[in-house]
Amino acid sequence: MAITFSCFYTDEDRLADVPERELEIVRREGRYQAEGWRVRRDGRAFWASVVIDVIHDRGELIGFTKITRDMTERKQYEDELVRAREQTEQRNGELRTLTSFLNTVIDNIPTWVIVQDRTSGRVLLSNHGESAESRQHSSCPFGERLSPERILAHLDGEAGKVLMTDHPAETEITLQTEEGKSRLKCRTLVLQQEDRYSDNLMFLIEDVTEEHAANELIRHMAHHDALTNLPNRLLFGERLSYALRQAGDSGQLVGTLLLDLDNFKDVNDVLGHQAGDELLGQLAGRLGEALHASATLARIGGDEFAVVVPACQRHEEIEDIACRLVSISRAPFLINGHQIQTGVSIGIALSSMPAASAEQLFRQADLALYEAKRNGRNQYEFFSPRMEEMARHRLDIETDLRQAMSNNELLLYYQPIRRSASMDLSGYEALLRWHHPTKGLIPPLQFIPIAEETGLIHEIGTWVLTEACRAAMQWPVEQVVSVNLSPIQFARRNLVERVSGALEASGLPSARLELEITESVLLDETQRNLETLRQLKQLGVRIVLDDFGTGYSSLRYLRTFPFDKIKIDKSFINEVCESREALAIVRAITSMSRSLDIETTAEGVERVEQATLLQREGCSHLQGYFFGRPGLLDPQGRCHVKLA
């Protein structure tokens, strides 16, 4: 078999007819030049440079010449260069990707990172607040276009300390920007490198403006009232304590005024809580305008306000302020189209009194406020030591009164009521008494108000109803028992159930029970109390309006509710024989009552001439010492009083 030049080719090239195709190229083009893998005699492959030329003789193709050079070493060198270049390009690409990633991370770090050359002061890195172009493509958390140089100018001193001590330093700076003041927390440290003298400074800067604002808001909310934005009880106490410390031994006075809005509950009940809030807001505005800048006005809860007046020279200064506050509060308020007339009661305490602390001064003002409200409201009262004595007395009475219920110290006395026409006994009025084991007999005026303030009146009132109905069951069937109801008892919605329970427990027919109320029941929560009265009337009990004629709107109440009886106040009866005016009033009441088919009872009858005149004027019933003083019942239910 003839050996041809194809023996230098690999088996794959021969199978692919590579040698023949190369010869075809030579025949067509006259020459072929290429590089590729070839095979030596021993079968080893080598990288060859091949040049094939045609041979012509007198224009006739007679053969080919082929020159093959071994280029393996050069090929390996070139391949190594290519691989090195590819590896370099790959590493450069990875570095570019990593650099881009790190730049993205740095740009998005909310902390502003600034690196400064310690020698030249040149900024080497700043991830925020750089050029305008970079800011357009980054989300700088600082908002304002702050330059690194501006920041570093404020941190020059910190940088010096860090370079001297090699210890990180932290500080806060405040900068004025287009968006307002910015508070920045700055940490300065050294970026140490192998060359100690090539260390750079790194500044880590956080915008804590919103954090400070949030903390300020939280602190403000903790110390201020949400409705009026006035200082609350906590901040009021701090201001009062500070004023007392500042006054010290200078001889100046510190005034504390506690204000309570009169009849605020009526506004809430009639117009709603939104109107009540509006009233408080308007009142707060008025009070604030009437005070000096040095004074502190606070809302300490509900409808209560307080004022601290520091560094007063004279007692009269505080009194002038109190007069002014009472006066401006009397002017009508316009709330949702309604004109509301109200006022404030004020209690005043001065640091000249023996008060060792703000708490004691506040308590003294509270005692004075109680006195102002007790004396008729819409006025002011200064604290005096006797108020503390009265408060201790009230506390003692309250404590003893709670024990009196369980110790059976409460008693019912009964005062007879006569029919005017026949002088027959029509019944008795049950009157509460307290027989204290050490203090003796305590009159109702000393303990009933305390019972009303503490809520004990509800328990006491139920006991009175039950005992009075039980006692009346021992009397002749035509006699009734009259029981007084406190306005406070109407505050609870179970009054009707309590009356019904007393009737059921005793077996007393409802028509033999009279319930006496005063005008204040109709003044407070009118609609609700009227509904309670209607329900009581539906039980069959009789409703009596007590102390008639002493209020400013008694006649209006006779149109509001169908009373069974009215009791003419004893202040008119005392003078009915001597005063034409008192007689005219009694005559008018009896005449009007007859026309309305309402019975009348004259209270406080003490003389025979009074009884005779009242009989003549048409009073249907008479009651007073002339007919018998209040007394206890004997075991048979008879009253231990001398009956006329």
Side-chain angles (χ1 to χ4, degrees):
M1 180 179 178
I3 298 175
T4 66
F5 78 98
S6 64
C7 67
F8 296 102
Y9 289 81
T10 63
D11 294 339
E12 290 82 2
D13 287 346
R14 286 196 298 272
L15 289 173
D17 294 329
V18 172
E20 287 77 8
R21 289 203 301 274
E22 292 178 353
L23 289 179
E24 286 296 326
I25 294 173
V26 173
R27 292 190 185 96
R28 187 171 61 252
E29 299 181 3
R31 191 175 198 190
Y32 174 79
Q33 184 173 348
E35 291 184 359
W37 291 102
R38 297 294 185 266
V39 181
R40 293 188 175 94
R41 288 182 179 181
D42 59 7
R44 288 182 298 134
F46 68 98
W47 187 261
S49 173
V50 179
V51 178
I52 303 175
D53 290 309
V54 296
I55 302 174
H56 290 89
D57 184 14
R58 298 173 185 175
E60 182 181 349
L61 176 65
I62 61 173
F64 303 91
T65 62
K66 180 180 182 185
I67 300 173
T68 302
R69 295 184 179 86
D70 188 347
M71 306 294 291
T72 303
E73 290 185 2
R74 194 195 72 180
K75 171 65 172 173
Q76 291 174 346
Y77 177 71
E78 290 177 348
D79 286 348
E80 289 177 358
L81 288 178
V82 170
R83 284 195 296 272
R85 184 170 62 249
E86 290 175 349
Q87 290 175 356
T88 300
E89 290 178 353
Q90 181 180 355
R91 283 196 296 272
N92 288 340
E94 291 174 352
L95 285 174
R96 285 193 297 271
T97 302
L98 179 59
T99 300
S100 176
F101 172 72
L102 291 177
N103 287 336
T104 301
V105 171
I106 292 173
D107 287 343
N108 285 276
I109 293 175
T111 300
W112 190 349
V113 181
I114 300 176
V115 179
Q116 183 187 37
D117 187 298
R118 61 173 292 182
T119 303
S120 65
R122 186 168 61 90
V123 175
L124 304 177
L125 171 67
S126 175
N127 64 335
H128 296 302
E130 301 167 322
S131 65
E133 292 77 19
S134 66
R135 281 193 299 268
Q136 291 174 356
H137 302 288
S138 67
S139 55
C140 176
F142 298 89
E144 167 66 19
R145 289 174 171 38
L146 293 172
S147 67
E149 291 76 16
R150 186 178 176 190
I151 299 294
L152 297 180
H154 285 76
L155 298 175
D156 188 55
E158 295 296 313
K161 287 191 294 186
V162 170
L163 289 172
M164 289 178 62
T165 62
D166 269 351
H167 294 300
E170 190 170 295
T171 186
E172 283 194 10
I173 61 175
T174 302
L175 297 178
Q176 186 65 43
T177 69
E178 294 177 1
E179 300 168 354
K181 288 184 178 180
S182 291
R183 296 185 65 119
L184 306 178
K185 184 168 72 175
C186 308
R187 182 175 174 82
T188 306
L189 60 156
V190 176
L191 280 176
Q192 294 184 349
Q193 299 172 228
E194 293 181 3
D195 180 1
R196 175 66 180 84
Y197 296 100
S198 64
D199 292 346
N200 296 317
L201 288 167
M202 182 166 70
F203 302 88
L204 303 177
I205 303 162
E206 293 182 68
D207 188 346
V208 292
T209 306
E210 291 186 0
E211 180 182 341
H212 273 271
N215 290 336
E216 284 298 315
L217 178 60
I218 292 172
R219 187 183 184 283
H220 183 86
M221 293 172 63
H223 290 82
H224 289 78
D225 170 54
L227 176 64
T228 62
N229 203 36
L230 292 174
N232 59 12
R233 181 185 289 267
L234 177 62
L235 184 54
F236 172 80
E238 293 177 2
R239 297 276 178 88
L240 179 55
S241 298
Y242 178 77
L244 290 172
R245 289 195 301 271
Q246 291 296 105
D249 299 326
S250 64
Q252 293 180 321
L253 301 175
V254 175
T256 301
L257 297 84
L258 293 191
L259 296 78
D260 184 88
L261 184 60
D262 298 331
N263 302 320
F264 177 68
K265 188 174 182 297
D266 294 340
V267 177
N268 270 341
D269 292 342
V270 176
L271 299 180
H273 289 281
Q274 186 174 356
D277 290 347
E278 177 65 22
L279 175 59
L280 292 174
Q282 290 190 25
L283 177 63
R286 284 191 192 179
L287 297 176
E289 293 174 357
L291 294 170
H292 299 302
S294 61
T296 294
L297 172 66
R299 182 186 177 213
I300 58 175
D303 60 341
E304 290 187 332
F305 294 83
V307 178
V308 176
V309 183
C312 290
Q313 303 296 330
R314 299 175 299 107
H315 177 282
E316 289 74 19
E317 289 183 39
I318 302 294
E319 189 166 13
D320 290 343
I321 292 174
C323 287
R324 191 160 61 247
L325 296 180
V326 169
S327 177
I328 64 169
S329 302
R330 287 173 178 162
F333 293 86
L334 187 62
I335 308 293
N336 299 333
H338 298 275
Q339 184 169 291
I340 298 174
Q341 192 87 34
T342 184
V344 294
S345 301
I346 302 178
I348 309 169
L350 298 175
S351 57
S352 59
M353 297 296 177
S357 66
E359 291 75 13
Q360 287 178 319
L361 197 64
F362 185 89
R363 184 172 58 84
Q364 290 175 353
D366 192 37
L367 290 173
L369 174 61
Y370 175 87
E371 189 69 10
K373 294 166 66 176
R374 192 176 70 87
N375 290 337
R377 302 187 178 188
N378 200 25
Q379 60 181 317
Y380 62 87
E381 290 284 348
F382 280 87
F383 170 79
S384 66
R386 69 172 182 82
M387 295 179 184
E388 241 168 1
E389 296 174 6
M390 292 171 60
R392 283 193 293 269
H393 175 70
R394 286 197 301 271
L395 182 59
D396 291 342
I397 291 292
E398 178 186 347
T399 303
D400 290 350
L401 188 56
R402 292 183 184 277
Q403 296 176 351
M405 289 293 298
S406 57
N407 294 343
N408 297 320
E409 297 172 13
L410 298 181
L411 304 170
L412 284 184
Y413 278 41
Y414 296 88
Q415 185 174 29
I417 304 172
R418 294 281 185 178
R419 294 185 183 87
S420 177
S422 62
M423 285 298 174
D424 292 337
L425 188 64
S426 68
Y428 296 90
E429 179 180 359
L431 300 170
L432 182 62
R433 297 292 185 268
W434 177 12
H435 195 278
H436 194 279
T438 59
K439 299 175 183 177
L441 202 62
I442 300 177
L445 289 179
Q446 289 188 19
F447 68 87
I448 290 297
I450 296 175
E452 291 177 333
E453 290 176 15
T454 59
L456 288 172
I457 193 65
H458 298 289
E459 184 180 356
I460 293 174
T462 300
W463 177 84
V464 170
L465 277 168
T466 303
E467 284 298 304
C469 291
R470 183 190 60 79
M473 281 296 293
Q474 303 178 64
W475 307 340
V477 294
E478 70 275 6
Q479 293 181 5
V480 301
V481 62
S482 186
V483 177
N484 291 276
L485 292 182
S486 164
I488 305 300
Q489 290 178 264
F490 282 79
R492 291 192 180 176
R493 299 183 182 276
N494 63 351
L495 176 59
V496 177
E497 288 76 9
R498 293 192 178 211
V499 173
S500 176
L503 292 171
E504 291 179 6
S506 63
L508 184 72
S510 57
R512 293 183 60 193
L513 174 62
E514 292 184 345
L515 298 178
E516 297 188 15
I517 68 166
T518 60
E519 285 188 9
S520 54
V521 170
L522 301 173
L523 279 171
D524 299 333
E525 301 184 35
T526 303
Q527 293 304 318
R528 176 177 161 182
N529 287 353
L530 277 175
E531 180 58 31
T532 301
L533 287 174
R534 293 188 184 98
Q535 293 176 15
L536 290 172
K537 185 98 169 171
Q538 289 173 0
L539 288 179
V541 302
R542 293 164 55 82
I543 306 299
V544 181
L545 182 58
D546 198 7
D547 299 333
F548 187 82
T550 58
Y552 67 91
S553 54
S554 298
L555 295 177
R556 180 171 67 86
Y557 294 137
L558 296 182
R559 298 180 57 191
T560 303
F561 184 81
F563 290 96
D564 296 287
K565 181 188 290 186
I566 57 177
K567 299 186 78 170
I568 306 173
D569 189 72
K570 62 182 180 181
S571 61
F572 302 114
I573 306 304
N574 289 340
E575 302 177 4
V576 70
C577 294
E578 294 80 25
S579 169
R580 290 186 352 185
E581 291 79 6
L583 177 59
I585 291 174
V586 171
R587 186 172 291 165
I589 293 174
T590 55
S591 175
M592 175 190 62
S593 299
R594 284 195 299 272
S595 64
L596 294 175
D597 198 22
I598 298 176
E599 294 181 345
T600 55
T601 297
E603 295 183 288
V605 180
E606 298 182 359
R607 307 193 308 270
V608 63
E609 59 268 26
Q610 292 174 338
T612 303
L613 187 149
L614 292 168
Q615 280 180 308
R616 188 169 62 246
E617 294 298 332
C619 284
S620 60
H621 294 76
L622 304 176
Q623 178 182 357
Y625 287 174
F626 177 71
F627 302 102
R629 292 178 177 272
L632 291 169
L633 294 179
D634 62 18
Q636 286 73 40
R638 294 188 296 254
C639 187
H640 285 180
V641 295
K642 180 181 179 182
L643 302 180

